[in-house]
Amino acid sequence: AVWLYGVMLILMERLLPGPVRERIIIAYFRLFGRDGDISRIDVICKLCKSTNISPPASTSTTSFSSQRSHKYPMDEDKLFSRYPLPVDLIRNVVGCLISDDIYQQSSAFPNIDHRSIRLSRQASMLYVILFFDPIVLREESAKLREIVDKYFHDNWVIHIYAGMTADLSLEWNRFPAARSALNNVLQVDNVKKMHINNAKLIGQCMAELRAYLTMGILTDSFVLDNRHDLLNTLRRCNIAVRWRVLHRRTTNAKYYSIVCATMEKVSTDPKLEGDFAVNDTHVVSLILLTSQLEMQLKDSFRDLIQKKESIWISCRTQACDMMTDLAEYFKGDQTLARVSRHDGLIQWFGSMAGEIRDLAYESGDHFTVTGRKIQLCVQALEEVEQYDLVDRDVQVKAFLQDARGMLLHMARAVGINEDIC
């Protein structure tokens, strides 16, 4: 609620400049002043009166007027102070945003290198809510360093709401503590490093996308076996696109010349040497390839969810039959390659066949519990392979390897759920 209140004030100032708001209020007062309810007209006038800040009139390529959805500095601290919220409330909200992952995005972005992306929504909320307590932005350097190190160590252009963005290098320039904390990160060398890392990531992502989108690669078996690699690729692609799209909107001339460096000849992939130029073609190509892989993976996962039970039953039956065949094999009277009878192995493989047969997909257990049971079966099959009589027999080892593959396929299939789509 606090964040939305701040966003509404910013949008009001951004979309309805002060003189326009004042004329609207006067027009309403003249139309309904005699018969309408105007008991709170003074409150409305105080909230909506002009702040004497006008949108910049420049028409350069990096100006605000050419980027309609980009926010310009507008003395938010004065606007927000017209009807301030309790300081203790703001401090508690800020403390909660700093210390906690309130949206629990760790499952979507588990890699620690993606922490700023995981917390990006909280970062935009912090940016807005801190205007209710401008003393923090002006004087509390330690808290601002903590915020910058956690949320803005690798980005400075943020998304606020509904496509509106803000450049912190300009927005926080009038606040001493915020400017000092941000300047520690936004050195020209650091900005170049961020740009180069993003350019390399875009090149890596485009190579991986082309490899995965090759005709016939994304089979059900491949998707199950490489699910985590595929999802990690999509994460990196979206992170690369997000950083590049946002920071091409920077209004700082020095940073703009770095991020939007151009090259004489346009290529299909980013130039990964010299100026590390990334142009619009690369960004659009990455977006299209990423969306294509996302669409194909979504369709594959939907099909796998529908076929999950049949995959489970098929793999369980095959693994169970393999254990039964191995038990028969060690009886020594039904195989082409004669072996001596071994009652211990006969009993062990028979009991393992029973264990696998008892793995029930419809039991209602959480998939992690079922996965743990399967892992114990796989571990048992690996341990029995160390037995001398088994280790010397290539055919038995091949059976055990196939059985482990079936069990792992079951574990991967049961791990697919509706959330992944």
Side-chain angles (χ1 to χ4, degrees):
V2 176
W3 170 64
L4 287 175
Y5 174 39
V7 166
M8 286 189 289
L9 292 177
I10 291 175
L11 288 174
M12 179 185 72
E13 183 68 22
R14 178 69 178 87
L15 302 177
L16 293 173
V20 175
R21 298 197 301 271
E22 292 177 349
R23 289 184 176 93
I24 292 174
I25 293 173
I26 293 301
Y28 181 88
F29 181 76
R30 288 175 176 174
L31 182 62
F32 299 106
R34 177 176 297 180
D35 302 322
D37 181 10
I38 57 171
S39 60
R40 302 183 65 82
I41 190 69
D42 293 337
V43 176
I44 296 173
C45 288
K46 179 180 178 181
L47 181 65
C48 297
K49 69 179 180 180
S50 175
T51 57
N52 297 321
I53 300 294
S54 301
S58 172
T59 57
S60 65
T61 57
T62 60
S63 70
F64 301 101
S65 58
S66 63
Q67 299 181 8
R68 298 288 183 182
S69 61
H70 201 74
K71 179 182 172 297
Y72 56 86
M74 53 179 65
D75 278 346
E76 294 88 350
D77 49 331
K78 294 181 181 179
L79 179 64
F80 285 28
S81 65
R82 291 177 177 176
Y83 285 98
L85 297 176
V87 176
D88 289 342
L89 171 64
I90 300 301
R91 293 289 175 114
N92 288 333
V93 172
V94 170
C96 182
L97 289 172
I98 293 175
S99 61
D100 300 332
D101 179 8
I102 59 176
Y103 291 105
Q104 298 180 354
Q105 293 293 301
S106 57
S107 58
F109 297 98
N111 193 326
I112 189 62
D113 294 334
H114 303 157
R115 183 180 63 177
S116 62
I117 303 298
R118 183 171 72 234
L119 301 174
S120 59
R121 188 172 180 183
Q122 290 179 219
S124 65
M125 296 176 71
L126 265 175
Y127 164 78
V128 174
I129 293 173
L130 282 173
F131 286 123
F132 286 105
D133 190 11
I135 295 177
V136 176
L137 293 171
R138 293 193 181 98
E139 301 176 5
E140 298 189 16
S141 301
K143 181 173 288 187
L144 262 298
R145 283 197 300 270
E146 181 184 359
I147 291 173
V148 169
D149 290 343
K150 185 173 183 179
Y151 294 94
F152 307 117
H153 67 280
D154 59 357
N155 65 98
W156 70 94
V157 180
I158 62 172
H159 172 256
I160 301 174
Y161 182 82
M164 184 169 62
T165 57
D167 188 340
L168 296 185
S169 65
L170 191 65
E171 295 285 341
W172 281 0
N173 195 46
R174 64 185 188 274
F175 301 107
R179 181 177 66 245
S180 176
L182 201 59
N183 286 342
N184 292 332
V185 174
L186 290 186
Q187 301 293 333
V188 173
D189 291 340
N190 287 341
V191 173
K192 287 182 179 179
K193 185 178 179 181
M194 295 178 202
H195 163 67
I196 291 172
N197 289 339
N198 181 261
K200 291 180 177 179
L201 183 59
I202 289 176
Q204 175 190 348
C205 289
M206 292 180 76
E208 292 179 1
L209 287 171
R210 292 194 182 101
Y212 287 137
L213 291 172
T214 303
M215 183 67 70
I217 290 293
L218 294 177
T219 61
D220 289 349
S221 178
F222 182 86
V223 171
L224 279 177
D225 293 342
N226 300 276
R227 179 185 58 167
H228 295 295
D229 292 338
L230 289 165
L231 294 178
N232 285 333
T233 295
L234 288 179
R235 287 189 186 100
R236 289 193 294 269
C237 292
N238 283 282
I239 288 169
V241 168
R242 184 182 190 277
W243 191 96
R244 182 61 53 175
V245 170
L246 282 176
H247 291 82
R248 287 173 67 86
R249 301 169 65 84
T250 182
T251 53
N252 188 299
K254 292 187 299 182
Y255 305 152
Y256 185 87
S257 63
I258 296 172
V259 175
C260 298
T262 58
M263 56 186 175
E264 297 179 358
K265 184 178 180 181
V266 177
S267 62
T268 55
D269 287 338
K271 183 180 178 183
L272 300 183
E273 58 184 8
D275 56 6
F276 288 84
V278 178
N279 57 35
D280 295 344
T281 303
H282 304 143
V283 177
V284 173
S285 297
L286 180 57
I287 292 174
L288 293 176
L289 290 173
T290 302
S291 61
Q292 185 179 353
L293 180 60
E294 287 179 344
M295 181 186 67
Q296 292 188 17
L297 275 184
K298 187 173 184 179
D299 293 340
S300 296
F301 283 130
R302 282 179 174 172
D303 291 341
L304 286 170
I305 290 173
Q306 294 177 354
K307 298 187 297 186
K308 181 165 62 171
E309 186 172 0
S310 62
I311 292 173
W312 172 277
I313 295 173
S314 175
C315 291
R316 183 183 63 181
T317 302
Q318 293 182 54
C320 185
D321 290 344
M322 289 178 182
M323 295 299 102
T324 304
D325 291 343
L326 287 173
E328 294 292 330
Y329 177 82
F330 281 102
K331 289 182 178 179
D333 54 1
Q334 296 182 7
T335 58
L336 295 176
R338 305 284 294 180
V339 295
S340 58
R341 181 183 179 89
H342 195 291
D343 293 332
L345 288 176
I346 295 172
Q347 183 179 359
W348 191 90
F349 283 115
S351 63
M352 180 56 65
E355 290 285 343
I356 295 174
R357 192 180 298 109
D358 291 339
L359 292 173
Y361 169 78
E362 63 277 5
S363 63
D365 291 341
H366 194 271
F367 72 88
T368 54
V369 177
T370 306
R372 193 174 299 114
K373 293 178 180 178
I374 294 174
Q375 190 61 39
L376 291 175
C377 293
V378 172
Q379 184 178 352
L381 293 178
E382 290 175 348
E383 291 174 353
V384 76
E385 198 172 305
Q386 307 301 318
Y387 190 71
D388 184 61
L389 189 59
V390 175
D391 187 51
R392 289 181 299 172
D393 197 317
V394 177
Q395 185 179 359
V396 174
K397 292 178 69 174
F399 258 63
L400 291 174
Q401 183 176 357
D402 291 344
R404 290 198 299 270
M406 292 295 174
L407 290 170
L408 292 175
H409 205 63
M410 292 166 60
R412 297 186 184 108
V414 78
I416 302 290
N417 52 40
E418 297 286 348
D419 295 339
I420 204 169
C421 294

